[in-house]
Amino acid sequence: MVYSLPEEVLEHVFSFITSDKDRNAVSLVCKSWYEIERWCRRKVFVGNCYAVSPGIMIRRFPELRAVELKGKPHFADFNLVPDGWGGYACSWIDEMSRAYPWLEEIRLKRMVVSDESLELISTAFKNFKVLVLSSCEGFSTDGLSAIASNCRNLKELDLRESEVMDLSGRWLSHFPDTFTSLESLNISCLGSEVSFSALERLVARSPNLKTLRLNRAVPLGKLSTLLHQAPQLVELGTGAYSSGIRSDVYTGLSKAFLGCKELKGLSGFWDADPSYLPALYSVCSRLTTLNLSYSTIRSPDITKVIGQCPNLQRLWVLDHIEDSGLNALALSCKNLQELRVFPSDLYAADVNVTLTEQGLVSVSQGCPKLQSVLYFCHQMSNSALITIAKNRPNLTCFRLCIIEPRTPDYLTHEPLDIGFGAIVKHCKNLNRLSLSGLLTDRVFEYIGTHAKKLEMLSIAFAGDSDLGLHHVLSGCESLKKLEIRDCPFGDTALLANVAKLATMRSLWMSSCAVSIGACKILSQKMPMLNVEVIDENGSLDSRLDSCLVEKLYVYRTVAGPRSDMPGYIWTMDRESANRI
Amino acid sequence: MDQKKTTLDLFNNVDLATELRLGLPGTDNQPEIIKSSLSGNKRTSSEMGSSTCTDENESRFSPPTKEQVVGWPPVRSYRKNILQVKKTESEMGSGMYVKVSMDGAPYLRKLDLKMYQSYEELMKGLQVMFKCIIGLYFEREGYNGSQHVPTYEDKDGDWMLVGDVPWEMFISSCKRLRIMKSCEARGLGDC
């Protein structure tokens, strides 16, 4: 006998279940649970805005308060996706403005957002609180003016890494004097100067402000003024971190930092002048996050700062930190969880910078909690990778970029197959992996065999044949996102694993060996996939089936082929290439 | 399980001669394993669709070029822009040498601004080179407490007091340095 609980009780119970995965599981139990759950779901994450339509989402979840959408494929970050590809937020925002008058939060990543949409957001949602635009584009500071003017209850405005048409800094002055609810502001991506007095007054009347990320144009001399107004800050992004020889600026800054007892995260530091670094020593012992990756300060100065941050959990830095700095990191920061080392020279190794695989090995040895690594370097060896893997089986994210494509083990001149093989073998919870260096099909065999929890894999300039791709598609059970460029992977592997693609969010392949014919077959066999071919060289209709495609993006969807594709994208439909 | 076996067989039994190949007719049928790190296998955007075989053949014989591969290394544009600014500022050959004159000295010296990361270091360098004492900088009064004041000629040809602007801005606009006697420099320090 099954006794069912009253709806209200179930709804109350469900309100404690917040993770998307759990909510989705709840909705699958039975019809009544599905119904109850969908009426009380308050937030939704759509990993691919073309996988579902706004209408479908709205029909199923009528009472949402928070929506998160992602648009362009990840490789758009590196200019591999041409302009006009899509990812328009417009239709989503239009429909949501009608369906969700009480919507509070919108988070968009890699989407194109217009000023009109921002204006609509600012007027349609009466209780709008959170706007996060991550790596978005298509809007200007005019759109921001609308948000500032109209969103009376705004808590968070975060423009991280978006490309904003910067018409002027005046938009910030549009926050009314009565507006006091701001908790988080990130304008670090903006080029133009905002009115400092408007900024100061805004900060002064925002007692709940916890996160403030300034843009480069805010001079260092003014930073202490802001800090005095907001000593409760938890996360601070400075503007340019240099001034002339200004002992008054230095003293003012030191004093201001002394007052910031809650500060846990620091970023910014454009043009950092090392003589101003000691001003922040007083906060170092509490720091958990430090992003120095916009500054080119040298290893000794970086080391001095890091040496004072025993509680550091996350460090982003340029390779100027060098092996010596990483050794110091390994000694001082036993709580380190995430390390990202970015390149200072994009092509050749800078002779003045000694960053090798040794630095990463040291950190893997000295930092027992290290989980997430992004490392750009010029040389690597299998033995180093094996050591890292054995030291840190708790790694969940490992992204290694050896800058020169197809670089072998610098000691043995062998491919780096066994090195990466060790990583996937030892790190059983690895969910994200980026490969580089000289790699044969063998590394993919290791990955297919061992990387059972892997969700995202990035491959470039690797492999020998379709067997490589086949190993990945047939072996990696948890794979959600696969992005590949410049690899000899083609039709055979793709067509042998068509069913797999319906279990993944998306597959990107560019400069590989996939033919038009294979794309058509794939599309025929799998109607629940959108098979999109990007070809900027001209008409695909007149090409033979044996011709190779430039770029291929395949994703599962319940919304059918999209209608907003530019002329250079073809969707493979049935027997012919269709361009809508 | 059976399906997997069949597909693997597909790879094992495949007749290479009838498979879709990449490469111009007549190229070597054996897969080439690249041992050398001298890879010129960089695809530019104009080479989209061209065969990898051809590229491999070329790379074995041509020296590694520094042509830029689209989207590689995988660094976001805004990061590239920061680095680019740094590069242009320091791309004046292998050093940023400026002439330095000191009032009363018989000859000029040359100094590489790139050797210094901050004003502090520059002052130390000047003091060592000229065996003089420069004194402390004050925003309102300029340099106090010594006989010598460091000045520089900027891009517009104006003589400026060293120390007012951020370091990066200074080294990109400094054309030459002059250490003046403080009695002469008094005119410059007034705002």
Side-chain angles (χ1 to χ4, degrees):
Chain A
M1 274 285 247
V2 174
Y3 294 96
S4 56
L5 295 166
E7 260 184 47
E8 299 80 18
V9 175
L10 278 173
E11 209 181 293
H12 183 69
V13 172
F14 293 168
S15 69
F16 294 99
I17 299 171
T18 48
S19 105
D20 296 324
K21 279 203 180 105
D22 291 342
R23 278 273 176 168
N24 291 343
V26 160
S27 67
L28 290 174
V29 167
C30 63
K31 263 192 175 158
S32 66
W33 279 40
Y34 176 91
E35 275 303 305
I36 298 167
E37 192 283 318
R38 77 181 187 90
W39 279 94
C40 68
R41 176 111 46 141
R42 294 287 174 259
K43 70 176 169 77
V44 150
F45 167 73
V46 180
N48 173 5
C49 66
Y50 291 118
V52 68
S53 71
I56 294 173
M57 179 187 78
I58 290 166
R59 265 196 303 281
R60 179 170 173 191
F61 300 116
E63 300 278 334
L64 292 182
R65 296 279 184 273
V67 174
E68 184 176 345
L69 304 172
K70 289 189 179 180
K72 300 185 200 174
H74 174 238
F75 273 176
D77 284 355
F78 315 125
N79 302 324
L80 285 175
V81 175
D83 282 340
W85 176 89
Y88 302 107
C90 186
S91 58
W92 286 87
I93 293 172
D94 280 350
E95 291 201 45
M96 292 194 299
S97 70
R98 287 187 285 274
Y100 300 133
W102 298 110
L103 191 69
E104 294 176 0
E105 305 180 9
I106 294 178
R107 293 175 172 80
L108 305 176
K109 186 167 185 179
R110 284 190 211 101
M111 294 193 76
V112 180
V113 186
S114 65
D115 284 342
E116 290 73 29
S117 291
L118 290 180
E119 221 166 310
L120 186 56
I121 290 173
S122 75
T123 50
F125 306 117
K126 302 299 173 197
N127 200 24
F128 196 69
K129 295 198 172 123
V130 172
L131 182 62
V132 178
L133 300 174
S134 177
S135 306
C136 293
E137 54 168 353
F139 61 101
S140 77
T141 42
D142 286 350
L144 298 180
S145 289
I147 298 285
S149 311
N150 303 326
C151 298
R152 308 232 175 94
N153 297 315
L154 195 70
K155 287 211 259 189
E156 189 174 331
L157 178 61
D158 186 340
L159 304 176
R160 60 179 85 151
E161 289 134 37
S162 289
E163 263 182 53
V164 185
M165 278 173 282
D166 215 330
L167 305 174
S168 90
R170 261 168 300 154
W171 68 273
L172 193 88
S173 317
H174 289 215
F175 282 111
D177 292 335
T178 48
F179 171 68
T180 58
S181 51
L182 198 62
E183 293 179 16
S184 171
L185 180 66
N186 179 355
I187 56 168
S188 53
C189 62
L190 295 181
S192 64
E193 203 176 323
V194 295
S195 148
F196 185 77
S197 57
L199 178 60
E200 192 190 340
R201 279 180 283 118
L202 176 62
V203 169
R205 65 176 185 277
S206 306
N208 296 320
L209 192 66
K210 296 279 189 296
T211 299
L212 179 64
R213 297 206 196 277
L214 304 169
N215 61 343
R216 197 175 189 165
V218 177
L220 188 59
K222 300 260 169 80
L223 184 58
S224 41
T225 314
L226 291 175
L227 292 180
H228 281 299
Q229 301 285 9
Q232 77 282 1
L233 279 180
V234 177
E235 303 270 340
L236 171 72
T238 73
Y241 204 73
S242 72
S243 196
I245 315 172
R246 300 283 303 273
S247 55
D248 55 327
V249 169
Y250 179 88
T251 328
L253 201 56
S254 280
K255 210 166 151 210
F257 274 122
L258 259 173
C260 296
K261 304 288 185 199
E262 309 294 323
L263 210 50
K264 292 220 167 68
L266 283 177
S267 61
F269 297 108
W270 285 281
D271 314 312
D273 180 339
S275 33
Y276 285 97
L277 288 176
L280 54 88
Y281 282 177
S282 60
V283 303
C284 284
S285 61
R286 286 183 291 271
L287 280 186
T288 56
T289 305
L290 182 57
N291 181 356
L292 291 170
S293 63
Y294 304 143
S295 81
T296 53
I297 58 177
R298 297 272 152 183
S299 182
D301 297 307
I302 302 177
T303 306
K304 272 188 221 149
V305 176
I306 290 174
Q308 316 212 19
C309 304
N311 291 312
L312 207 58
Q313 292 173 11
R314 190 184 305 148
L315 176 66
W316 291 22
V317 75
L318 282 185
D319 57 10
H320 287 144
I321 190 173
E322 301 190 33
D323 288 344
S324 54
L326 291 173
N327 290 337
L329 181 67
L331 286 173
S332 319
C333 304
K334 297 303 181 187
N335 290 321
L336 196 72
Q337 292 173 16
E338 177 181 324
L339 173 67
R340 295 197 194 187
V341 179
F342 296 95
S344 56
D345 193 311
L346 298 177
Y347 309 107
D350 186 341
V351 290
N352 294 324
V353 173
T354 323
L355 181 107
T356 69
E357 80 285 4
Q358 278 318 304
L360 186 56
V361 171
S362 295
V363 176
S364 76
Q365 223 148 355
C367 302
K369 299 187 189 168
L370 188 69
Q371 282 182 335
S372 174
V373 170
L374 171 64
Y375 201 76
F376 283 82
C377 59
H378 295 274
Q379 69 184 42
M380 187 49 63
S381 66
N382 281 311
S383 60
L385 284 170
I386 293 168
T387 308
I388 292 166
K390 288 186 173 161
N391 284 340
R392 290 277 65 78
N394 50 327
L395 283 175
T396 54
C397 169
F398 188 72
R399 294 191 279 166
L400 179 68
C401 180
I402 305 167
I403 292 179
E404 181 73 24
R406 302 197 183 86
T407 305
D409 177 327
Y410 78 100
L411 296 169
T412 65
H413 303 291
E414 295 285 301
L416 290 169
D417 300 336
I418 53 172
F420 279 105
I423 294 281
V424 293
K425 190 164 158 226
H426 291 274
C427 307
K428 303 205 190 298
N429 288 320
L430 198 68
N431 64 48
R432 186 164 180 190
L433 177 65
S434 296
L435 305 171
S436 59
L438 182 64
L439 297 165
T440 72
D441 285 345
R442 172 141 290 165
V443 72
F444 300 110
E445 193 183 338
Y446 296 142
I447 292 173
T449 309
H450 295 287
K452 295 305 181 187
K453 299 258 178 82
L454 195 66
E455 295 181 5
M456 183 168 177
L457 179 61
S458 308
I459 310 172
F461 305 103
D464 307 314
S465 74
D466 273 42
L467 199 52
L469 179 56
H470 175 70
H471 283 308
V472 171
L473 290 176
S474 58
C476 297
E477 291 161 6
S478 310
L479 198 62
K480 288 207 183 112
K481 288 186 282 184
L482 181 57
E483 48 185 24
I484 306 173
R485 62 162 297 173
D486 293 90
C487 296
F489 298 152
D491 300 348
T492 320
L494 203 58
L495 296 179
N497 291 282
V498 295
K500 174 69 175 176
L501 297 178
T503 68
M504 291 166 53
R505 183 186 298 172
S506 65
L507 166 68
W508 168 279
M509 292 179 75
S510 56
S511 307
C512 293
V514 180
S515 72
I516 294 177
C519 294
K520 289 183 185 168
I521 296 172
L522 176 60
S523 182
Q524 279 172 326
K525 288 193 170 178
M526 304 292 289
M528 76 289 283
L529 297 179
N530 274 355
V531 180
E532 293 179 8
V533 170
I534 298 172
D535 197 314
E536 292 178 279
N537 286 332
S539 172
L540 216 52
D541 307 322
S542 58
R543 301 251 200 96
L544 297 174
D545 278 3
S546 56
C547 279
L548 298 185
V549 307
E550 214 175 84
K551 296 173 184 174
L552 173 67
Y553 187 50
V554 180
Y555 56 91
R556 66 179 173 188
T557 179
V558 293
R562 57 186 177 112
S563 55
D564 59 1
M565 292 185 297
Y568 58 77
I569 299 187
W570 281 259
T571 182
M572 295 292 116
D573 205 340
R574 304 291 161 191
E575 278 113 52
S576 60
N578 274 344
R579 192 182 357 167
I580 298 172
Chain B
M1 284 302 264
D2 277 328
Q3 175 140 28
K4 216 172 184 174
K5 209 175 159 193
T6 325
T7 1
L8 276 178
D9 287 346
L10 189 72
F11 285 91
N12 293 332
N13 299 335
V14 109
D15 180 356
L16 286 173
T18 58
E19 283 304 299
L20 277 178
R21 315 275 1 264
L22 302 169
L24 298 173
T27 50
D28 190 3
N29 280 337
Q30 301 309 314
E32 296 175 310
I33 298 168
I34 303 166
K35 289 231 184 259
S36 127
S37 66
L38 292 179
S39 162
N41 260 22
K42 296 179 199 275
R43 268 177 199 274
T44 56
S45 49
S46 61
E47 280 183 291
M48 288 303 170
S50 65
S51 73
T52 48
C53 273
T54 326
D55 286 352
E56 282 172 26
N57 285 330
E58 278 173 17
S59 77
R60 282 170 164 257
F61 304 105
S62 57
T65 50
K66 284 303 164 196
E67 59 183 83
Q68 296 173 25
V69 184
V70 176
W72 191 267
V75 174
R76 303 275 315 266
S77 330
Y78 69 87
R79 283 195 183 278
K80 283 187 182 174
N81 291 340
I82 295 172
L83 301 174
Q84 202 48 49
V85 170
K86 297 292 169 200
K87 265 205 110 90
T88 352
E89 279 174 4
S90 58
E91 208 137 60
M92 307 185 191
S94 56
M96 209 191 276
Y97 283 92
V98 294
K99 289 183 187 170
V100 191
S101 62
M102 171 142 126
D103 291 356
Y107 48 78
L108 279 60
R109 302 295 304 272
K110 260 228 168 131
L111 195 139
D112 181 5
L113 288 177
K114 267 175 68 181
M115 296 310 293
Y116 307 101
Q117 304 292 323
S118 66
Y119 283 115
E120 204 185 310
E121 290 180 18
L122 174 64
M123 293 307 147
K124 281 195 190 132
L126 287 173
Q127 290 176 124
V128 163
M129 190 182 255
F130 290 97
K131 309 219 177 350
C132 63
I133 298 173
I134 289 182
L136 292 172
Y137 171 93
F138 289 88
E139 196 200 347
R140 289 178 61 193
E141 299 104 30
Y143 286 83
N144 231 353
S146 81
Q147 306 266 340
H148 304 283
V149 176
T151 64
Y152 70 101
E153 185 183 8
D154 74 356
K155 282 192 182 126
D156 303 323
D158 297 319
W159 284 93
M160 317 286 292
L161 189 68
V162 169
D164 287 333
V165 300
W167 175 254
E168 301 289 344
M169 199 188 288
F170 164 70
I171 57 174
S172 64
S173 56
C174 172
K175 289 282 155 286
R176 55 188 296 170
L177 285 162
R178 177 185 164 198
I179 304 180
M180 292 174 86
K181 287 243 166 66
S182 29
C183 47
E184 269 195 64
R186 230 154 261 145
L188 273 181
D190 297 330
C191 288

